Amino acid sequence: MHSHPAPTAPGPGRVSGFLHETFIGTPGSRQSAGRGRTAVLNQLMLCVITLVVATISLFIGDTGNIPAFLAGAMIVFAGGVATFVVPWAAIARGWILVVPLVDVAAIALMRLAEPMGGLGLLWAFPAIWLAALGTVGYIVQCVVIPGTYWWLVAVGPAQTVTYASVLLPAVILAIATTMYVSTRRYQAQQSLLDTQATVLSGALQRAQRQEELVHEVLDAVDFGVLRVSPEGTVAVVNEALGRFQNSIPGFGSRDQELENAYRFDGSTPLPRAERPLIRALHGEVFDNQIVWFGHPDERRHALSFTVRRMRDAQGADAGAVLIARDVTAEMTALRARDRLVSSVSHELRTPLTSVLGYIDLALDSLDRPEHARSSLEVASRNGERLLEIVADILAASSASRMSIDMTVSPEDVDVAEALGAAAEAWRARAAMNALTIDTAGIEPAHAFADPLRLRQVLDNLISNAVKYNRDGGEIALGCTSDGTTTWVLVRDTGSGIAEDDLDRLFERYFRAHTDVDGTGLGLSISRDIARALGGDITVRSARGVGSTFMLSLPVNADGGDIPAPALDAAASGAAIEREGDR
């Protein structure tokens, strides 16, 4: 899946775990860190208050038992140092109760030194701390702090029980209870957040996996997928569409697409307003818009475009999805079918009309046997031409080369005699275009081939040399053999074959010259026959110079692989460099 470059990120599980631990943390890590922070903050506040109280008391000089007061303050300060030094995360959770209990004792010592100073209110700090540590700490402070206060009242000089004897413990108990309830509520909320974080983490992993699966599926299909956001930006492009952009000139380029894009007919330039992406951005929905890419005289590609709109959960427009499918093969097949039907209709109509016409002439000339015989001979030749056309179509419709193998009956054939006979058969037709057929290059040669099939191939090659030659041109025929392989040369002085057409010359129904009637089957069938006989047909051509076809055949039944020919001067123009199709 192609998108804008992004920095490398961890996998789905690692991403969710990283976010969870960084911003939420694991329960164990949060509790350990929380104990350390709570100890430091509570003890720090108590130390600050104790320092302020001690400073004021010493400055005023109203402290009864200064040594006991200072001893209590020093214990509080020592507890503050301990909260910074002790690694609370590394020791058992219960040890943290020691610090607030020591604070309770230190505050008791300070109150004992100054009973009327109201120092008992400092017990609120260890009470809050103990209540925050859980149920055990809450129970401990409910017992220790009131018990300590009442013990100090009992041993004090006044030994009088008043409402103050109950008010201070009640206030501290109320503060501790409020802290305990708040802590429990916070812990419940934190537990709920932990559960929700776990659920969200799992949902995130599933969503990421589903997104990866969708991307993998999109990249696996052979049609292009492009998603456009409502703002008109490209959000998703799969690999197939990227391949189209790399392999089809003009596809995906705004400037070139206008020059190289054509409508369904392949010849009308595609206006900008009809470009599939522009139509999609304008909110249109359509199916199977065929666009041809490439100039008509170049190798071309046909793409079928389909666009669908997308809606979000609220029904609002979420952009569009454009599907592009390469239909070059289908469109080429459809065009080949249309050309074949038209060509076959023409090819059949011409000889059939001639057959019927000459039969009518023969019927009208029954009293003149010579004229009737001549008309019937012409009708017979045209009937044979009809049979050849039908045979070509039937042979081309075969899906397996084995069907050709089954219809060949190879034997020892005099290739020179067969080539000479074919030349004489086409000499009259060539003379109509002022063409000369040169047979000086025919040398004695034999081949292990089917004589009927060989004649079919020779007639096809010479027929092409006649049809595609220029008026007043020349056709050179030749054959030679080295005892293992026999080569047959057919060279013309026609317009030649374009470089781009050579690679497709032997494809069925392909025609390099659309201005000349034909079915586009002759060369395909001829090469299939040659290969079925153990040989091959190759071609070399140059525009404005002509074309040279070389037929190679084995001399014996065990001829095996036929090597490339080493031609003499008479046949040098047939050197095999490329295979193609006419």
Side-chain angles (χ1 to χ4, degrees):
M1 183 70 60
H2 301 277
S3 59
H4 297 291
T8 303
R14 294 176 57 191
V15 170
S16 59
F18 173 78
L19 295 175
H20 185 273
E21 293 177 9
T22 301
F23 298 105
I24 301 176
T26 61
S29 64
R30 288 199 309 273
Q31 291 176 0
S32 299
R35 289 200 302 270
R37 288 194 299 270
T38 301
V40 171
L41 291 177
N42 283 314
Q43 194 65 21
L44 182 61
M45 287 188 294
L46 180 59
C47 290
V48 171
I49 297 299
T50 301
L51 178 62
V52 172
V53 171
T55 301
I56 294 175
S57 299
L58 293 175
F59 180 77
I60 295 177
D62 193 24
T63 302
N65 191 345
I66 294 179
F69 183 86
L70 292 177
M74 294 304 296
I75 293 174
V76 172
F77 296 148
V81 173
T83 57
F84 281 99
V85 175
V86 176
W88 301 107
I91 62 177
R93 183 171 181 268
W95 285 103
I96 201 169
L97 294 172
V98 173
V99 177
L101 291 176
V102 170
D103 288 339
V104 171
I107 294 170
L109 186 61
M110 294 169 62
R111 188 185 182 287
L112 184 62
E114 182 57 45
M116 304 305 295
L119 298 176
L121 292 174
L122 296 178
W123 274 320
F125 290 98
I128 292 173
W129 190 353
L130 289 169
L133 293 177
T135 304
V136 175
Y138 176 73
I139 295 174
V140 168
Q141 69 84 26
C142 288
V143 174
V144 173
I145 294 178
T148 302
Y149 174 73
W150 287 326
W151 176 78
L152 291 176
V153 171
V155 300
Q159 296 183 352
T160 301
V161 178
T162 63
Y163 72 92
S165 303
V166 179
L167 180 60
L168 180 61
V171 171
I172 293 178
L173 180 61
I175 295 174
T177 302
T178 302
M179 185 62 187
Y180 175 73
V181 172
S182 299
T183 301
R184 297 288 293 180
R185 184 181 297 111
Y186 169 78
Q187 291 175 347
Q189 293 175 347
Q190 193 64 51
S191 176
L192 179 61
L193 289 176
D194 290 340
T195 303
Q196 292 176 342
T198 303
V199 173
L200 289 176
S201 176
L204 176 62
Q205 294 183 31
R206 290 192 297 272
Q208 290 175 333
R209 179 53 190 157
Q210 290 175 354
E211 182 179 3
E212 292 176 353
L213 181 61
V214 170
H215 288 180
E216 292 172 359
V217 171
L218 289 177
D219 288 339
V221 298
D222 59 352
F223 52 84
V225 179
L226 182 145
R227 183 190 174 194
V228 182
S229 68
E231 295 77 21
T233 59
V234 176
V236 175
V237 176
N238 73 337
E239 290 185 359
L241 198 68
R243 290 195 297 270
F244 291 161
Q245 292 176 338
N246 294 331
S247 62
I248 301 177
F251 181 84
S253 173
R254 296 178 181 270
D255 297 331
Q256 293 183 359
E257 190 174 349
L258 289 176
E259 299 177 0
N260 293 348
Y262 297 83
R263 287 178 175 171
F264 176 81
D265 58 8
S267 58
T268 305
L270 186 70
R272 186 177 190 278
E274 295 183 15
R275 289 164 55 187
L277 184 57
I278 298 299
R279 295 180 63 187
L281 294 177
H282 289 168
E284 293 187 46
V285 176
F286 52 88
D287 289 307
N288 196 31
Q289 179 187 2
I290 303 298
V291 179
W292 284 91
F293 291 93
H295 293 291
D297 57 347
E298 300 175 349
R299 185 177 291 273
R300 315 180 74 190
H301 294 269
L303 294 184
S304 170
F305 292 92
T306 298
V307 170
R308 290 287 181 270
R309 303 302 300 180
M310 300 179 62
R311 302 288 176 182
D312 58 18
Q314 289 73 35
D317 183 28
V321 173
L322 182 146
I323 307 297
R325 188 169 62 91
D326 190 346
V327 293
T328 306
E330 293 91 328
M331 295 300 297
T332 302
L334 289 175
R335 292 191 169 196
R337 181 199 64 185
D338 295 340
R339 287 196 302 265
L340 174 64
V341 171
S342 175
S343 178
V344 168
S345 299
H346 176 80
E347 290 284 327
L348 293 177
R349 185 187 305 112
T350 301
L352 185 58
T353 301
S354 179
V355 168
L356 295 176
Y358 278 99
I359 289 177
D360 288 339
L361 290 175
L363 291 175
D364 293 338
S365 305
L366 293 178
D367 56 340
R368 291 176 292 174
E370 292 299 326
H371 287 82
R373 179 181 179 82
S374 176
S375 298
L376 289 175
E377 287 177 350
V378 174
S380 177
R381 287 196 298 270
N382 282 279
E384 291 176 356
R385 174 58 182 159
L386 281 173
L387 184 61
E388 291 176 0
I389 294 174
V390 173
D392 285 351
I393 296 173
L394 291 177
S397 65
S398 173
S400 171
R401 178 187 164 189
M402 185 59 64
S403 61
I404 297 177
D405 293 341
M406 294 173 63
T407 59
V408 296
S409 301
E411 59 185 63
D412 183 63
V413 178
D414 188 336
V415 176
E417 180 182 348
L419 184 58
E424 289 302 321
W426 283 94
R427 198 175 295 277
R429 174 66 179 82
M432 296 175 61
N433 294 339
L435 299 173
T436 59
I437 298 180
D438 181 9
T439 59
I442 297 179
E443 300 177 0
H446 285 255
F448 188 72
D450 185 321
L452 295 179
R453 290 295 190 181
L454 174 60
R455 179 58 185 270
Q456 182 180 352
V457 173
L458 295 177
D459 283 342
N460 194 351
L461 294 178
I462 298 174
S463 171
N464 284 342
V466 171
K467 287 193 297 184
Y468 299 110
N469 215 325
R470 57 180 174 81
D471 291 345
E474 180 182 340
I475 299 172
L477 303 180
C479 64
T480 187
S481 176
D482 62 359
T484 302
T485 303
T486 292
W487 295 280
V488 178
L489 169 74
V490 179
R491 181 168 56 201
D492 62 60
T493 56
S495 60
I497 304 169
E499 184 77 12
D500 293 339
D501 291 335
L502 282 174
D503 291 334
R504 304 184 59 197
L505 197 57
F506 292 100
E507 292 180 7
R508 293 180 181 183
Y509 308 117
F510 177 78
R511 298 171 59 216
H513 299 275
T514 57
D515 55 340
V516 180
D517 293 333
T519 61
L521 297 173
L523 285 178
S524 174
I525 295 173
S526 296
R527 189 173 68 169
D528 286 345
I529 293 174
R531 290 181 174 178
L533 293 172
D536 202 356
I537 297 178
T538 55
V539 61
R540 190 177 72 172
S541 182
R543 296 290 282 180
V545 176
S547 303
T548 302
F549 287 84
M550 176 67 73
L551 167 65
S552 57
L553 295 170
V555 173
N556 303 309
D558 57 350
D561 295 336
I562 297 177
L567 303 176
D568 56 16
S572 61
I576 301 171
E577 290 186 355
R578 299 197 56 170
E579 290 188 1
D581 227 310
R582 191 156 188 157

